[in-house]
Amino acid sequence: MVTLGCARNEVDSEELAGRLEAGGFVLVEDPEDAETVVVNTCGFVEAAKKDSVDTLLAAADLKDGGHTQAVVAVGCLAERYGADLATSLPEADAVLGFDDYPDIAARLRGILAGEQQHPHTPSDRRKLLPISPADRTDAPAYQPGHGGRRRLDSGPMAPLKLASGCDRRCTFCAIPAFRGSFVSRRPSDVLAEARWLAEQGARELFLVSENSTSYGKDLGDLRLLETLLPELAAVDGVDRVRVSYLQPAETRPGLLQAIAGTPGVAAYYDLSFQHASNPVLRRMRRFGDSESFLGLLEQARALAPEAGARSNFIVGFPGETERDLEELCDFLSRARLDAIGVFGYSDEDGTEAEGFADKLPEEAIAERLEHVTALAEELTAQRAEERLGEELLVLVESVEDDEVEGRAAHQGPEVDGSTMLEGDLTGVTVGDMIRARVVGTDGVDLVAEVVAGGGPR
């Protein structure tokens, strides 16, 4: 099982692994030992699509005189393009959509037996569910990642799906069309999976969805996440709960307070700003501007002064002027974000922005991307330096020789930097929580020294 893309895809892969194991398949670590290689693809942006295709081609090379008999594409790229992907990539033996997941073991057995698998015809998955969120609770449409799973990673952090799909209509984004409308998981299901993950060794739960601020709206309670967080944090064995992907326009004061004030919940705000210029945001079909976003960050930091904040931004969106870009750069300079992702705009099939006029030349987008990325790296390094002397609670994720590395509450998995520990590390193992004081920085990464009595625990 090869997983590409986001943490939501990781959950989907673990569901597939669980279904395959229940169906008699045995997971192997080395692709060369596998009869079937399943690639869970990403279809978000052009670079991710290329990476998915390259991975499928590399897997197909294993069939040349090796043990591997079949290569199967699943995931967002497969769901989004279906038969077109199968035609353009004959090296893949099958292209399966989300609706094939419940019967994945039977599908793979058929492929290995030489049966022809007809790739699905892509459709707008939003049409599978009622327009009204309240009517979706018992709808029969399948939601990937909402079932049982088998852990593929033994690390102390585990993603946990709150919901699937999205009801927003951002003009640059195709995700709702192939992921479908927003559907919350029932709190009892989320809690049951949280307990199971804790039994499997997870000490940090990373709550993921396409839009966590919408959690509960289809279950009749838009404040459901505020009440669920304390219950998740109280699960035996769980030391930290982290919420991802908050829509600024939907982020309620009560949710800010719940994140900042609930013991065991990381004071961490993953806010999807995308830009800071109001004209650009309106063309993106989003809401807000520099001042409202700065006000939201101010509210969060008033509740938790040491809170972490991150966001992603798109530069070069159709119609973006030099003044818009200056406003974005000014916002970044004032926002003091711990982590910043910057992407250059590219057309996505089927999106509204694909048909917009006033497209910027690729060269101009590349220049703006380079400029804002350099600024972001400088600003996040400065933000890291502001944390010198700060005490952190670090979750240890790696112990190799004399190097112990982990993440603090303000550092999300994989993309927000890490913390290297120094000092008395006797007996420290992966999964320990260590209290340490920041003594150095390297870009967004920190160096922290264990304080007296600071660990392990």
Side-chain angles (χ1 to χ4, degrees):
M1 180 71 67
V2 182
T3 306
L4 304 173
C6 65
R8 298 185 294 275
N9 249 18
E10 293 177 25
V11 178
D12 295 352
S13 285
E14 294 194 349
E15 179 194 340
L16 288 170
R19 291 184 181 278
L20 287 167
E21 187 173 64
F25 283 83
V26 177
L27 185 74
V28 295
E29 294 291 334
D30 190 340
E32 294 186 359
D33 294 333
E35 290 179 311
T36 308
V37 178
V38 179
V39 180
N40 191 353
T41 60
C42 179
F44 180 44
V45 293
E46 200 59 40
K49 297 176 196 174
K50 183 180 183 303
D51 189 26
S52 294
V53 170
D54 289 346
T55 302
L56 285 163
L57 291 172
D61 288 341
L62 297 173
K63 295 192 291 183
D64 294 337
H67 188 64
T68 303
Q69 300 175 36
V71 173
V72 178
V74 299
C76 291
L77 191 70
E79 174 66 31
R80 186 174 180 184
Y81 293 104
D84 288 343
L85 179 63
T87 300
S88 63
L89 196 70
E91 292 85 353
D93 296 278
V95 175
L96 304 180
F98 294 149
D99 291 329
D100 291 305
Y101 286 17
D103 300 315
I104 188 67
R107 296 285 186 275
L108 261 59
R109 290 193 187 284
I111 294 164
L112 290 170
E115 297 174 6
Q116 183 68 31
Q117 299 290 322
H118 297 286
H120 76 106
T121 301
S123 62
D124 190 334
R125 291 188 69 86
R126 290 171 292 193
K127 296 179 180 178
L128 300 178
L129 291 165
I131 293 176
S132 170
D135 294 335
R136 297 175 191 161
T137 304
D138 298 316
Y142 170 72
Q143 304 297 329
H146 286 209
R149 55 198 279 199
R150 175 202 190 279
R151 287 209 73 188
L152 297 175
D153 185 347
S154 60
M157 184 284 298
L160 173 58
K161 263 196 182 182
L162 285 174
S164 290
C166 184
D167 286 340
R168 301 188 71 87
R169 296 295 181 265
C170 302
T171 57
F172 57 85
C173 183
I175 289 176
F178 60 84
R179 277 288 184 177
S181 297
F182 186 87
V183 178
S184 300
R185 298 181 69 189
R186 293 185 181 277
S188 56
D189 293 338
V190 177
L191 282 165
E193 190 165 304
R195 296 184 187 102
W196 177 81
L197 287 168
E199 291 169 0
Q200 301 296 310
R203 301 197 68 181
E204 177 178 313
L205 301 179
F206 185 39
L207 307 185
V208 300
S209 72
E210 276 78 19
N211 179 5
S212 297
T213 37
S214 281
Y215 180 71
K217 73 174 185 179
D218 50 330
L219 300 178
D221 185 358
L222 191 54
R223 293 176 295 179
L224 198 54
L225 184 55
E226 285 98 303
T227 59
L228 180 61
L229 285 174
E231 294 184 75
L232 288 169
V235 170
D236 189 29
V238 171
D239 288 310
R240 179 183 291 157
V241 176
R242 183 184 305 275
V243 184
S244 73
Y245 215 84
L246 305 173
Q247 285 286 348
E250 299 178 28
T251 302
R252 307 168 295 281
L255 181 56
L256 293 178
Q257 293 165 4
I259 291 174
T262 304
V265 174
Y268 172 85
Y269 299 92
D270 176 16
L271 294 158
S272 175
F273 291 130
Q274 302 300 345
H275 211 281
S277 165
N278 181 258
V280 175
L281 288 164
R282 286 204 308 268
R283 288 173 67 83
M284 290 179 168
R285 210 183 295 278
R286 296 176 69 86
F287 305 93
D289 54 29
S290 293
E291 294 308 315
S292 65
F293 292 165
L294 289 170
L296 184 58
L297 289 168
E298 185 179 352
Q299 290 178 54
R301 288 169 176 149
L303 295 165
E306 297 175 354
R310 78 166 329 275
S311 191
N312 292 327
F313 299 88
I314 298 172
V315 297
F317 192 76
E320 182 190 63
T321 65
E322 290 287 350
R323 183 172 182 176
D324 294 326
L325 188 69
E326 289 175 8
E327 184 168 355
L328 172 60
C329 292
D330 177 68
F331 168 76
L332 293 175
S333 299
R334 299 167 65 191
R336 295 171 56 240
L337 298 172
D338 292 274
I340 299 170
V342 187
F343 300 88
Y345 172 80
S346 63
D347 284 335
E348 285 298 315
D349 298 334
T351 61
E352 187 177 347
E354 186 184 21
F356 282 0
D358 302 326
K359 298 278 180 67
L360 275 66
E362 290 186 9
E363 297 80 6
I365 295 174
E367 289 176 3
R368 294 183 181 195
L369 176 61
E370 182 179 4
H371 172 69
V372 179
T373 298
L375 175 63
E377 290 176 353
E378 178 183 347
L379 292 171
T380 51
Q382 291 174 5
R383 176 67 182 125
E385 290 176 358
E386 291 179 17
R387 293 191 180 275
L388 286 168
E390 190 175 304
E391 278 199 9
L392 310 172
L393 196 58
V394 180
L395 174 65
V396 175
E397 294 190 309
S398 172
V399 179
E400 295 183 6
D401 299 326
D402 294 329
E403 294 190 345
V404 178
E405 189 174 7
R407 287 180 299 105
H410 73 279
Q411 295 171 321
E414 297 184 5
V415 293
D416 291 356
S418 63
T419 300
M420 192 69 68
L421 292 172
E422 295 182 343
D424 184 6
L425 299 168
T426 304
V428 170
T429 61
V430 170
D432 286 340
M433 281 285 191
I434 306 294
R435 185 164 293 282
R437 181 176 291 106
V438 181
V439 296
T441 68
D442 181 9
V444 297
D445 298 323
L446 304 179
V447 179
E449 186 171 0
V450 180
V451 300
R457 72 172 183 82

